[in-house]
Amino acid sequence: MKKEFIILLTCMLVVTFMTIHNSNLETMEGQDAKNNQHRLSQEKYLINEGKLIKLSNGVTIKRNSDLIIIEQSSKTIILNKNDSRELIAFLED
């Protein structure tokens, strides 16, 4: 009788743990989805304002006050707005 009682308690503990764990996973997945949606809406807003340009090859160009930030998956280039004319001249050559 004691053995069956211990098995029952163990099963109840496992079921309770798994229920709580699954609930937490669903909450975390919901938060991830909300975060992604929020990030996309921020990007759309910045694109409409002209402060963000996303190119098809994964390059992102941001304009922040007097800085121009060019981001790619492996590198980030930060330029001063005053240096942008020199960069354009360099790219044209």
Side-chain angles (χ1 to χ4, degrees), residues 1 5 12 27 31 38 42 60 62 82 89 91:
M1 181 72 178
F5 185 69
M12 288 176 57
T27 303
Q31 288 295 330
H38 182 68
Q42 277 184 328
T60 303
K62 297 178 185 176
N82 299 332
L91 291 174

Side-chain angles (χ1 to χ4, degrees), residues 51 61-70 77-84:
K51 295 183 179 184
I61 301 173
K62 297 178 185 176
R63 200 174 68 192
N64 186 5
S65 64
D66 62 341
L67 296 177
I68 298 171
I69 302 168
I70 303 170
I77 301 170
I78 301 174
L79 301 171
N80 191 334
K81 200 172 189 178
N82 299 332
D83 298 334
S84 62

Side-chain angles (χ1 to χ4, degrees), residues 1-64:
M1 181 72 178
K2 186 176 180 180
K3 204 177 211 184
E4 288 85 8
F5 185 69
I6 292 173
I7 292 172
L8 177 65
L9 283 178
T10 305
C11 289
M12 288 176 57
L13 285 174
V14 168
V15 168
T16 304
F17 173 77
M18 292 305 294
T19 303
I20 293 170
H21 180 69
N22 286 340
S23 175
N24 289 341
L25 282 178
E26 290 172 2
T27 303
M28 288 182 353
E29 289 171 356
Q31 288 295 330
D32 288 343
K34 285 182 183 179
N35 289 340
N36 287 337
Q37 185 179 11
H38 182 68
R39 182 182 53 80
L40 290 175
S41 66
Q42 277 184 328
E43 285 181 357
K44 286 181 184 178
Y45 174 75
L46 291 173
I47 288 171
N48 290 337
E49 290 289 315
K51 295 183 179 184
L52 176 70
I53 300 170
K54 292 189 83 152
L55 303 176
S56 62
N57 58 354
V59 176
T60 303
I61 301 173
K62 297 178 185 176
R63 200 174 68 192
N64 186 5

